[in-house]
Amino acid sequence: MGCYPFFPNNPYSTLKRAFGILPAIVLILLVLTVQGCGRVPDAPYPESLLRAKVLFTCFGSRPKYLDPVSSYSNDETPWTYSIYEPPLQYDYLKRPFTLEGRTVRELPTVRYLDAAGRDLPADAPVDRIATSVYTLRLIPGIRYQPHPAFARDAQGRYLYQDLRPAQIAWRHSIADFPLDEAHGVATATRELTAEDYVYEIKRLASPYVHTPSPIYGIMAPLIVGMKTFGDRLRAERTAAFAGTRPRDRDLPWRDLRTVPLPGARALDRYTLEIRIHGVYPQFRYWLAMTFFSPIPWEADRFYAQRGMADNGLTLNFWPVGTGPFMLVSQSANRYVMRRNPNFHGQRYPSAGMPGDAAKGLLIDAGKPLPFVDEVISSVEKEQEPALDKFLQGYYDVPYVERLSTGFVLEKELLDNTGRAALLRARGVQIIGHVGPSISYIGFNWLDPVVGGGDTPAQRERNRKLRQAISIAHDWEEYRTVFFDTIGASKTAMGPIPPGVFGYRGGAAGIDPVTHVWADGHAQRRSIAEARRLLAEAGYPDGRDAKTGKPLVLTYDTTGTTPAAQAGLDWEIKQFAKLGIQLEIRAEDYNRFQERVLKGEAQIFSWGWYADYPDPENFLFLLYGPQGKAKFQGENAANYENPEYDRLYQEMRVLPDGAARQAVIDRMVQIVQRDNPWMWGYFPAISAAYQPWVRNANPSIMVRDQIKYLDVDPAMRWERIRAWNRPHWWPLAAILAALSLAMIPLWRVWRAREQRDARTAIIWEVPRAGGSIPPATPQEESDGDAGERPS
């Protein structure tokens, strides 16, 4: 028989000689298994991080825009509101939502001027006010995060502002630009000034930024001189590149400091003045949004260098700010923010609402922010694996920007599923309340079938088609089946949610197209009425009356996961009630945004979280000059109605009261009849947190929640170890099965070993003369290989 080579360092040989083959294999399997388990098996993070002041969360898709001039999507807010600092913010605890200073000493002062530039009293009639002047005074000493855009040597020369393409080609991260003294860097930061806010306001109108600002259509007619400023730069760019079409990423840097903007000025190093036309009370809310965050000219110039954008080195990937955190690493699977060492410091609120102390929301009153040193966000494209990791303790809060995750767990508790006992035993915090938001399905106004139409006949036909679909689409059923586990959401009858001025409830607020008021509540119109409208639109039983072909519509959505399939199947059934075929086009969120931005989506699902607590923030979503395809605004349906647009301009400057309510009522009636949206529902919000997370207070309005959250890493580590103890009985069962399976092999092996031993003994007995004669060829052929006859 053959033999195993023996080496002194071969553990198998050593164990085999000591114990035999079967015990040797068992011992090796046991050692390897124990070594692979560690203290916490399969932990996605090292113990050192799990035991540190680190917040762990996850995100569904990679953020598309982190440049404050472009970012307007909820999934980008965990980074933008943690890194950038607009002048104002909302108090974390007070309700109703209350503005306070973030980088300014106090709230801005406002004074009014008439057409001749003379001061007016605060109670001056609206029609006399030509200009509103906002003055903001910055807190001195605020400094930016360390960044290569600011890097200078001891002589004050910039180190990374004039790089050649070859010097940029190998750099793909901010970490590729060293900021230490060994590389000649004397300083890599500077103080925030009022000019930095002016620079960002100019960027809102600049054609030299990579992505146009979605709020330019709102701000251009509002901020004094902004439209003229933008037109000037566009004409300049057109003239400079006549006959060519350079890629945006190849545009040379344009120093916006050299172009004056009358509506935004730095009166001195720490004083910012913004002038707007007329009266616009909601403007103060915009000053709490990242669109009005400071951008230093150095960062704009740094990223404009040729080759930077090709390597993903732009503000959309690597923000520069003064906030509590800075982005230090990123990939398609993980983003890491770290505490900004230059953060000027803020403090946790010392007062809140009644009951906040009992909820533990004032334990950290007056303490400096932020509480955690690092924020690690990992990609989780599907919700179920994310919740599994959450229940293992590896996420402190799943999807920190999503405010619906708690509903999934609430449903588990209500249905008393197998996971319900786990949720109760582990003390998961599920916190929710009603918030100003809406989820809807939009019709693209540019589409020839479901859109606005070009002729009166086509407009009427398309309108009836939209109305028929809206009746058939049973949002009450959708809420019950897929979303609402606690009955807090409401079916929407228009764009304004409860809790915001202008909302109408009850009989006065129903959408007469889709509902009737009967027996004290709203009832959806019958499917027969929907079919009648469909026939009047020229599609009896879902077929074109002229051609007989079935009506096929396309629905764009981000529901790409298996978990979303049930909802998509339900959507198909809603259209099938009318005989309409619905084709689903599911894609990732970034691709979905691109299709909507280009006006390519026919029917699409969308939603909106309020930016500020005013009806304008919802009514502007249907304002014509905010059309997404034409103006890159937030009117995703590209809806246009001249009367609605005129009323919008009137509504936005009126104070809350009867006059404003009357204008809003008329606006809502117009869009109810035109039906650019299936109004959907007003969702409540509900978020989930681990028991070791403090200060959890989810809110649609407060987007910089991360800086207020604290974690107890000792408790986290203790719970993770307890919740993820290795189960040894499967290993014992496997080893037992292996042992039983190897018994026959062991017997064969043992028999051959004994036979070899007997042969060896025979060979060791010397013959007469003290030698063993060589075997003859015949003798060699008589025995097995390796054996000799006696």
Side-chain angles (χ1 to χ4, degrees):
M1 67 180 295
C3 63
Y4 292 96
F6 173 77
F7 300 101
N9 294 328
N10 188 325
Y12 173 82
S13 299
T14 304
L15 290 170
K16 171 192 164 186
R17 284 176 172 266
F19 303 108
I21 185 172
L22 181 61
I25 293 175
V26 170
L27 282 171
I28 287 176
L29 287 173
L30 182 60
V31 170
L32 291 176
T33 304
V34 171
Q35 286 180 342
C37 288
R39 297 183 67 179
V40 178
D42 302 323
Y45 308 104
E47 178 182 338
S48 59
L49 287 178
L50 293 171
R51 301 183 72 168
K53 277 279 191 177
V54 178
L55 181 74
F56 295 96
T57 184
C58 57
F59 60 97
S61 60
R62 194 169 187 174
K64 188 175 180 66
Y65 301 120
L66 295 182
D67 186 334
V69 83
S70 310
S71 177
Y72 209 3
S73 182
N74 186 59
D75 68 332
E76 296 154 359
T77 57
W79 296 279
T80 55
Y81 279 84
S82 295
I83 296 171
Y84 298 116
E85 288 195 295
L88 306 182
Q89 65 181 9
Y90 291 97
D91 186 283
Y92 188 55
L93 300 178
K94 290 181 181 177
R95 302 295 181 271
F97 294 102
T98 305
L99 287 172
E100 63 182 12
R102 184 166 180 172
T103 62
V104 295
R105 297 175 180 272
E106 66 276 320
L107 293 178
T109 59
V110 185
R111 60 191 180 95
Y112 302 118
L113 307 177
D114 63 15
R118 295 183 295 253
D119 284 318
L120 293 172
D123 58 353
V126 171
D127 57 1
R128 289 193 60 199
I129 300 175
T131 307
S132 298
V133 182
Y134 288 76
T135 304
L136 301 92
R137 294 174 174 82
L138 303 187
I139 300 170
I142 297 176
R143 304 188 72 79
Y144 284 98
Q145 67 181 73
H147 192 275
F150 306 116
R152 298 192 190 205
D153 61 18
Q155 288 72 44
R157 295 171 299 195
Y158 288 105
L159 296 177
Y160 299 118
Q161 286 287 1
D162 296 293
L163 300 176
R164 296 185 303 275
Q167 294 175 298
I168 296 172
W170 61 272
R171 305 178 197 257
H172 297 270
S173 164
I174 292 301
D176 293 330
F177 299 86
L179 298 179
D180 54 357
E181 292 184 7
H183 290 84
V185 178
T187 181
T189 183
R190 73 159 171 83
E191 188 181 28
L192 169 71
T193 69
E195 284 287 359
D196 298 331
Y197 283 101
V198 173
Y199 199 89
E200 168 63 2
I201 294 171
K202 291 178 178 179
R203 293 181 79 241
L204 296 175
S206 173
Y208 290 90
V209 297
H210 289 164
T211 307
S213 177
I215 69 165
Y216 176 68
I218 296 174
M219 295 300 154
L222 181 65
I223 295 177
V224 174
M226 176 169 276
K227 187 176 186 307
T228 302
F229 177 89
D231 291 344
R232 172 183 170 179
L233 290 181
R234 282 169 179 77
E236 170 192 291
R237 173 179 161 174
T238 301
F241 297 101
T244 64
R245 297 188 64 181
R247 296 183 307 163
D248 285 347
R249 63 178 56 187
D250 289 335
L251 290 175
W253 178 59
R254 180 61 167 95
D255 188 353
L256 301 181
R257 294 174 297 170
T258 64
V259 188
L261 175 59
R265 299 187 302 156
L267 302 184
D268 57 43
R269 187 173 180 84
Y270 303 115
T271 307
L272 170 67
E273 180 187 272
I274 303 175
R275 296 184 173 224
I276 65 172
H277 292 292
V279 178
Y280 181 45
Q282 296 79 19
F283 184 70
R284 64 190 186 278
Y285 296 125
W286 287 97
L287 297 176
M289 298 170 64
T290 51
F291 292 115
F292 286 85
S293 298
I295 289 295
W297 68 265
E298 296 95 330
D300 197 39
R301 186 179 190 274
F302 172 80
Y303 286 124
Q305 296 177 86
R306 184 176 293 274
M308 287 285 190
D310 290 329
N311 287 7
L313 294 167
T314 71
L315 281 169
N316 278 327
F317 290 95
W318 298 100
V320 183
T322 61
F325 296 99
M326 58 183 186
L327 188 63
V328 295
S329 70
Q330 59 155 292
S331 67
N333 298 320
R334 183 166 293 177
Y335 277 57
V336 178
M337 290 192 297
R338 195 165 292 150
R339 180 193 292 266
N340 175 7
N342 299 333
F343 183 54
H344 55 97
Q346 294 175 334
R347 294 190 176 273
Y348 190 87
S350 297
M353 303 301 293
D356 281 353
K359 296 175 185 176
L361 289 174
L362 291 173
I363 292 175
D364 293 317
K367 293 182 180 178
L369 301 173
F371 293 114
V372 299
D373 298 321
E374 198 165 296
V375 181
I376 298 179
S377 304
S378 303
V379 68
E380 293 287 355
K381 294 185 177 180
E382 296 190 28
Q383 184 170 258
E384 197 60 28
L387 293 180
D388 285 341
K389 291 178 185 176
F390 174 66
L391 290 175
Q392 288 179 281
Y394 297 129
Y395 288 137
D396 302 315
V397 49
Y399 304 109
V400 69
E401 84 285 0
R402 293 186 190 175
L403 299 176
S404 59
T405 309
F407 287 119
V408 179
L409 302 181
E410 284 178 349
K411 185 170 177 57
E412 300 264 6
L413 291 169
L414 290 173
D415 294 344
N416 202 27
T417 64
R419 189 185 270 172
L422 199 62
L423 288 168
R424 296 188 185 99
R426 295 190 172 177
V428 171
Q429 304 177 73
I430 301 177
I431 306 171
H433 53 82
V434 177
S437 63
I438 185 171
S439 294
Y440 65 89
I441 289 179
F443 298 102
N444 183 4
W445 214 246
L446 305 178
D447 185 79
V449 179
V450 301
D454 296 325
T455 66
Q458 188 182 26
R459 285 194 286 271
E460 183 67 8
R461 170 176 171 159
N462 292 5
R463 179 178 61 81
K464 289 185 176 181
L465 172 60
R466 294 191 301 272
Q467 291 177 343
I469 294 171
S470 297
I471 292 172
H473 199 283
D474 192 343
W475 286 106
E476 289 82 4
E477 180 181 281
Y478 179 87
R479 287 170 44 227
T480 302
V481 174
F482 295 105
F483 182 77
D484 198 349
T485 57
I486 58 175
S489 68
K490 294 179 179 292
T491 299
M493 301 288 176
I496 302 176
V500 175
F501 181 84
Y503 170 77
R504 293 278 195 185
I510 68 164
D511 179 359
V513 170
T514 58
H515 288 75
V516 295
W517 188 262
D519 300 326
H521 66 278
Q523 296 182 6
R524 184 167 291 275
R525 290 187 180 273
S526 68
I527 197 67
E529 292 183 75
R531 289 174 180 150
R532 174 182 59 80
L533 285 168
L534 186 67
E536 292 175 4
Y539 303 102
D541 299 321
R543 290 183 174 271
D544 192 309
K546 295 180 180 179
T547 65
K549 294 181 179 180
L551 176 60
V552 181
L553 301 177
T554 304
Y555 177 60
D556 279 79
T557 177
T558 58
T560 58
T561 65
Q565 190 58 50
L568 297 178
D569 291 341
W570 184 88
E571 291 289 350
I572 292 172
K573 290 178 182 178
Q574 301 308 297
F575 285 77
K577 294 176 186 177
L578 301 175
I580 299 174
Q581 297 179 25
L582 187 67
E583 291 185 350
I584 303 296
R585 187 159 52 198
E587 49 217 343
D588 67 78
Y589 187 53
N590 287 338
R591 175 60 182 147
F592 172 79
Q593 287 188 92
E594 289 178 7
R595 291 190 63 83
V596 174
L597 181 63
K598 295 177 181 177
E600 296 174 349
Q602 186 177 46
I603 301 173
F604 57 92
S605 59
W606 203 267
W608 186 258
Y609 285 141
D611 293 311
Y612 47 89
D614 189 90
E616 188 221 16
N617 194 230
F618 289 89
L619 296 173
F620 95 116
L621 298 173
L622 293 165
Y623 179 51
Q626 269 292 296
K628 190 168 284 289
K630 293 182 181 179
F631 308 107
Q632 292 78 51
E634 289 305 315
N635 178 355
N638 301 296
Y639 172 68
E640 288 185 276
N641 183 298
E643 184 182 2
Y644 180 92
D645 292 347
R646 180 185 61 80
L647 291 170
Y648 172 84
Q649 289 292 346
E650 182 180 346
M651 174 277 308
R652 61 194 288 274
V653 300
L654 290 173
D656 290 350
R660 197 180 198 209
Q661 182 68 63
V663 174
I664 291 173
D665 289 343
R666 178 59 188 142
M667 295 175 71
V668 172
Q669 290 167 7
I670 291 171
V671 293
Q672 284 176 335
R673 183 179 185 277
D674 283 351
N675 218 147
W677 295 355
M678 286 189 270
W679 301 111
Y681 59 97
F682 301 122
I685 65 173
S686 182
Y689 302 85
Q690 295 288 6
W692 55 79
V693 176
R694 285 209 309 266
N695 307 327
N697 189 33
S699 164
I700 287 175
M701 304 300 302
V702 181
R703 302 292 177 83
D704 55 343
Q705 176 190 177
I706 289 177
K707 70 182 179 185
Y708 298 101
L709 297 180
D710 195 7
V711 296
D712 183 340
M715 179 190 291
R716 175 171 60 200
W717 178 243
E718 177 187 344
R719 298 291 177 89
I720 286 177
R721 291 183 64 194
W723 296 349
N724 298 277
R725 293 188 188 281
H727 298 286
W728 295 107
W729 66 264
L731 175 62
I734 291 172
L735 292 176
L738 284 173
S739 300
L740 291 173
M742 294 182 69
I743 286 175
L745 296 176
W746 176 77
R747 287 175 176 171
V748 172
W749 172 81
R750 189 63 179 166
R752 301 196 74 167
E753 286 282 311
Q754 290 173 348
R755 184 177 62 188
D756 288 349
R758 288 195 302 271
T759 302
I761 293 172
I762 292 172
W763 274 90
E764 288 171 4
V765 176
R767 297 186 181 184
S771 63
I772 300 175
T776 65
Q778 180 62 39
E779 289 174 333
E780 287 186 351
S781 65
D782 288 343
D784 292 336
E787 295 182 354
R788 296 292 179 93
S790 57

